[in-house]
Amino acid sequence: MFRSMIVFCLFLVLAATFAPPLRAQSVGKVVDGVERRYNALSALQMGFEQSMEYAGRKRNLEAGTLYLLRPGKMRWEYSDPAGKIAISDGKIFRQYNPNSNQVRQVALASMTDLRAPLSFLLGRMRLRRMFRNLRLESADGMHVLIGEGRGGQDFYSRVEFDVDPADYSITGVRIVGRDESINGYRFSGEETNPTLSASLFEFEAPAGAEVVPLTRSFREVPFEGR
């Protein structure tokens, strides 16, 4: 019995010594699975809940529906607060807040606000190029894929993707800014390749709204202030 236990323990030591790094394999498998899923899509629709935190202060939860259409088109249609909207037509990203009655706009190519890490859904996804130090954790039955910004040009220091291991769908994202702000999203009811009208991505400023001139980014006042 004692000899058998020694042999079994020796087997475990040898297995741990010569086995390939499971963590690295798992990261590669999840990254490849996520990329295969989203790179095959031309359109996407899903519900979202958005939370924001800065310096320990939390804002009220916001919610709505997100529409994505390649190339470069997205529409964040808020039900709470009602009337808030953000639209990209593929060139210009505009957002309107009824509380301020103001339209802010930025060229999509230079966009550096907190939505930027989600822009991978709008084109060919290359997570290994977008992030450094990709690693994998687990929580509540989900893979948590973590990537760090590649340099000072990225507004975020870290992005965490909740990935369903069954189909590699992304069910949540947490974006940690270099200013330690935290923006979180929970996604639900994902519909792949829905038929989306081009008119969804046309923006018309409400009558009487102030339209702020085109700016480089929304970085200074992400999502209409903190």
Side-chain angles (χ1 to χ4, degrees):
M1 179 69 179
F2 181 69
R3 179 177 297 178
S4 298
M5 184 175 295
I6 292 178
V7 172
F8 178 68
C9 291
L10 181 59
F11 170 78
L12 291 179
V13 170
L14 291 174
T17 301
F18 294 103
L22 296 179
R23 175 67 68 179
Q25 287 183 352
S26 297
V27 171
K29 183 177 181 180
V30 171
V31 168
D32 292 342
V34 170
E35 290 182 349
R36 280 196 304 270
R37 177 182 179 83
Y38 289 100
N39 284 341
L41 302 180
S42 60
L44 192 64
Q45 176 180 335
M46 53 192 172
F48 72 89
E49 291 184 344
Q50 176 184 336
S51 61
M52 289 159 279
E53 181 177 340
Y54 182 73
R57 293 179 292 137
K58 295 183 179 180
R59 291 184 55 183
N60 293 333
L61 191 70
E62 299 184 342
T65 303
L66 171 61
Y67 305 89
L68 297 168
L69 181 66
R70 288 179 175 161
K73 295 181 174 65
M74 60 181 162
R75 178 187 182 99
W76 299 76
E77 188 173 295
Y78 289 78
S79 56
D80 187 11
K84 184 174 180 180
I85 196 166
I87 295 177
S88 165
D89 61 6
K91 296 180 180 179
I92 305 297
F93 186 89
R94 299 176 175 89
Q95 64 179 19
Y96 170 72
N97 189 329
N99 292 331
S100 62
N101 198 30
Q102 186 180 78
V103 176
R104 295 174 61 84
Q105 50 186 346
V106 61
L108 189 63
S110 62
M111 182 176 171
T112 59
D113 93 326
L114 297 177
R115 290 179 183 81
L118 300 180
S119 64
F120 68 87
L121 294 171
L122 300 174
R124 293 293 294 178
M125 183 189 302
R126 292 291 184 266
L127 293 176
R128 294 177 180 88
R129 294 182 183 179
M130 291 181 64
F131 303 104
R132 64 183 181 89
N133 295 335
L134 280 169
R135 56 192 183 275
L136 192 65
E137 297 180 359
S138 61
D140 301 325
M142 291 287 176
H143 293 314
V144 181
L145 183 63
I146 302 172
E148 299 175 6
R150 286 195 167 276
Q153 72 273 16
D154 292 325
F155 179 47
Y156 51 88
S157 62
R158 186 175 76 255
V159 181
E160 303 173 0
F161 299 93
D162 294 333
V163 180
D164 189 332
D167 59 6
Y168 299 108
S169 61
I170 294 173
T171 62
V173 179
R174 286 171 297 282
I175 304 166
V176 181
R178 295 194 181 279
D179 58 358
E180 298 304 316
S181 60
I182 301 175
N183 278 247
Y185 301 87
R186 301 296 305 171
F187 300 120
S188 60
E190 181 181 272
E191 298 181 37
T192 57
N193 292 326
T195 300
L196 301 179
S197 170
S199 63
L200 274 176
F201 309 98
E202 297 173 358
F203 183 89
E204 184 175 347
E210 176 191 2
V211 179
V212 178
L214 198 68
T215 184
R216 178 178 176 276
S217 75
F218 298 149
R219 180 171 177 171
E220 293 76 15
V221 193
F223 295 112
E224 302 296 345
R226 298 180 175 125

